[in-house]
Amino acid sequence: MSAGPLAIPSVAARRGAARMSAVSLALWTVRFLVVALVVAGTIGTILKDRYTTAQWFEFVLFGLTIGSLYAQVALGYTMVYGVLRLINFAHGDIMMCGAFAGYFVATPLENSGFLEVHPVLGMAAILAAGMVVSGVIAVLTERIAYRPFRRVQGFAPLICAFGVSFFLEQTFRGLFGSSVKSYPAPKWEGVEFHWAGLSVPGVDLLVIVLAVAFMAVLYLIVQKTRMGMAMRAVSEDGEAAALMGVDVGKVIVFTFALGGAMAGIAGVFYAFLFKQVYFYMGFTPGIKAFGGAVLGGIGSVPGAMLGGFFLGLVESVGPSLFLDGIGIKAPYELRDVIAYTLMILVLVFRPQGILGEHMAKKRA
Amino acid sequence: MALLELSDVQVFYDKIEALKGISLSVEAGRIATLVGANGAGKSTTLRAVSGLIHPRAGTIRYDGTTLAGRQPHEITAMGLVQVPEGRRIFGRLTVDENLAMGAFTRHDRRGIAEDRERLLQLFPRLRERLHQVAGTLSGGEQQMVATARALMARPSMLLMDEPSMGLAPMLVEQVFETIRAINADGVTILLVEQNALMALSIADHGYVLESGRIVLSGPGRDLLDDERVRHAYLG
Ligand SMILES: Nc1ncnc2c1ncn2[C@@H]1O[C@H](COP(=O)(O)OP(=O)(O)O)[C@@H](O)[C@H]1O
Ligand SMILES: [Mg+2]
């Protein structure tokens, strides 16, 4: 072979290498800037000493509360991604369905006074409604919208998931109106616990404890039951699982039911915390929970829980901790920006997340 | 009696005809082998039998009933179990969970526990690694997991796709020994191999596959002695 044709690829290769290093230099600069900003902000905030210990405690507690909800919703994203390699964009809306179901049970229970007298029974009924409605709707979306795509590669299933999301939102809007409904506030939810000068709202405590308990149950189902084991096997290699005698279709239905029920619980809690129910309410927490799933490593069940909590904490503590210190006036307005920035940074720098595998290479 | 019988099976991947009408049969209690070069269509044949892909034409019958339209898990539940190419063990599940997955179609707790014990005696290495995540095992150990996992289903027939692939020569010997032992226990075997010499020497009957067609068949010994086979596959 002559030297001519050989010289061309080598020049191209060198150019490629130069471009690579320019890009990685830029990426390193970004990493450095982000870290510098966070460190500078934190030091600035600490020096200014604007927040009291009680306030910091409040930020952390709220972060854990909202984080426990993101974690619950993130589980649905991660489990469905595991068995189908599909990002179920409509999952946030499944949460909204549960919130509506909870609202429709909570309102008459509160009006009749039942919820005041029997908080435990009342909450159990409300949560059950959220779980069942979200679980059933999740299973229906799988049956109707996703199953036809099961052997389809490419973007079609994802586009369909967008369609499902809009369908659910617009259906609920059509059926129940676009106004924001106010969720009932039973008197007992005002309870506060005091400890060492810190006050802990009972609602936050209730949400965190119950969310953790439900997630523990889900984790046990995934780890210890036959269906849970089949789900993990399908996540890893669906064909091999089928060869072992696993009905993959059944496992997928099970996964949607489990993820949907968990989102339904989160929806009830979300409505309970913010006192608002409306057709669009699933969108933002849905995106953030997805961010939590990515953060923890999509496909990983413990990762989703960890990522959800982490995202909640960063968005709650972050504005005061990093942003206030660098002189931003209304840091709390930027909490969503922090959450989305975190998600983008993770996707760019660590697509496999904290505990997961590489999103793009999973099956290779 | 033929336990597994394929007649005129045609398989397409889009417009590529991977199997151009193949017929073969495996007698109950025997070892049959399908040998051929890379890309000949060996895995495609096993995938069609297991219901992972559907033939465009032809019939596949197992134990007297047609497999047409059956799903992979249903075929496994009939006792026709595949150990797929590349082993495909569940790397993030423990060895014990992999074995439990093998018994997924069964519900006889006692029998499952007995089979597990028996297989751990057959593969003592696996007992040491029982609670370890299977992905951390060596290639030879992973092959043991794949074989033990399939046997946990208590199959009547095993389809094995290149079980010797990527193993050191000493381990290859062991794999063929194991196959013989499984067969001696009464399990019918269809073995797919590129290692034609080894496969034909343990098989009762052999088929040679070339670009989607069976070009030769006969008793394993005869094929080993056949000029054309020696020339093409045994060097
Ligand atoms: N998923 C697929 N899509 C398209 N072509 C395939 C696919 N799998 C296998 N083939 C083609 O089918 C033929 C047979 O493949 P295979 O059965 O894997 O051969 P073997 O197992 O004998 O090596 C090959 O030409 C291969 O390229
Ligand atoms: Mg092959």
Side-chain angles (χ1 to χ4, degrees), chain B residues 37-44 85 161-162 165 192 194:
Chain B
N38 199 6
K42 305 183 296 296
S43 298
T44 302
E85 184 176 290
D161 197 344
E162 304 207 31
M165 191 161 87
V192 153
Q194 276 191 62

Side-chain angles (χ1 to χ4, degrees), chain A:
Chain A
M1 213 185 274
S2 74
L6 273 176
I8 295 164
S10 84
V11 167
R14 222 178 297 147
R15 239 186 246 144
R19 197 165 352 130
M20 272 305 291
S21 74
V23 168
S24 64
L25 191 71
L27 288 179
W28 274 105
T29 313
V30 171
R31 281 181 224 217
F32 177 78
L33 282 178
V34 168
V35 172
L37 216 67
V38 168
V39 170
T42 306
I43 292 173
T45 302
I46 290 169
L47 288 181
K48 270 201 249 172
D49 199 19
R50 177 122 71 87
Y51 300 95
T52 63
T53 312
Q55 277 170 316
W56 284 118
F57 180 75
E58 200 178 299
F59 293 143
V60 170
L61 192 68
F62 183 72
L64 289 176
T65 310
I66 190 80
S68 72
L69 303 188
Y70 294 158
Q72 281 182 296
V73 179
L75 282 167
Y77 281 105
T78 229
M79 293 191 301
V80 165
Y81 181 82
V83 296
L84 273 186
R85 296 299 180 278
L86 167 77
I87 290 164
N88 182 11
F89 190 79
H91 191 59
D93 302 296
I94 298 287
M95 182 194 112
M96 174 272 293
C97 299
F100 264 90
Y103 164 79
F104 282 121
V105 174
T107 307
L109 284 185
E110 173 65 14
N111 291 344
S112 67
F114 183 88
L115 191 56
E116 298 291 350
V117 189
H118 304 286
V120 175
L121 268 180
M123 274 310 279
I126 296 165
L127 284 171
M131 269 171 90
V132 170
V133 168
S134 283
V136 167
I137 291 179
V139 167
L140 286 176
T141 60
E142 190 278 330
R143 182 68 195 86
I144 294 164
Y146 300 139
R147 195 171 297 181
F149 292 107
R150 203 170 283 170
R151 283 169 189 272
V152 177
Q153 302 277 318
F155 286 112
L158 182 64
I159 306 288
C160 187
F162 281 95
V164 171
S165 170
F166 297 136
F167 174 85
L168 289 175
E169 285 171 12
Q170 295 309 320
T171 303
F172 273 72
R173 180 190 194 175
L175 290 175
F176 308 117
S178 54
S179 63
V180 173
K181 288 154 190 52
S182 71
Y183 193 85
K187 291 186 189 70
W188 46 259
E189 76 167 38
V191 173
E192 285 204 358
F193 299 96
H194 296 277
W195 172 74
L198 306 170
S199 69
V200 183
V203 184
D204 291 12
L205 214 57
L206 180 75
V207 167
I208 295 176
V209 168
L210 284 181
V212 168
F214 279 116
M215 283 191 278
V217 169
L218 178 133
Y219 188 73
L220 285 178
I221 290 173
V222 171
Q223 287 299 319
K224 301 287 177 206
T225 67
R226 189 179 137 81
M227 257 325 219
M229 184 172 68
M231 197 173 116
R232 285 181 291 137
V234 170
S235 296
E236 205 170 318
D237 188 336
E239 230 174 57
L243 288 177
M244 296 302 109
V246 174
D247 183 344
V248 176
K250 228 190 223 172
V251 169
I252 290 170
V253 169
F254 175 76
T255 306
F256 271 85
L258 205 57
M262 202 47 91
I265 296 168
V268 168
F269 287 152
Y270 200 83
F272 194 63
L273 276 177
F274 295 100
K275 297 294 165 216
Q276 291 183 341
V277 176
Y278 54 104
F279 72 98
Y280 200 56
M281 66 180 285
F283 184 79
T284 304
I287 298 274
K288 290 195 186 151
F290 171 65
V294 170
L295 194 66
I298 193 132
S300 160
V301 166
M305 299 191 208
L306 204 67
F309 273 109
F310 189 74
L311 198 79
L313 273 178
V314 169
E315 121 176 8
S316 172
V317 179
S320 326
L321 191 60
F322 328 134
L323 297 182
D324 203 335
I326 48 176
I328 287 173
K329 284 286 167 336
Y332 216 67
E333 299 295 310
L334 288 173
R335 71 197 171 106
D336 286 4
V337 175
I338 291 193
Y340 297 135
T341 307
L342 188 64
M343 184 170 135
I344 294 168
L345 289 175
V346 169
L347 280 170
V348 172
F349 293 115
R350 201 177 154 79
Q352 72 273 40
I354 305 168
L355 299 180
E357 290 165 51
H358 206 291
M359 202 163 159
K361 288 187 191 158
K362 191 136 187 183
R363 253 200 189 143

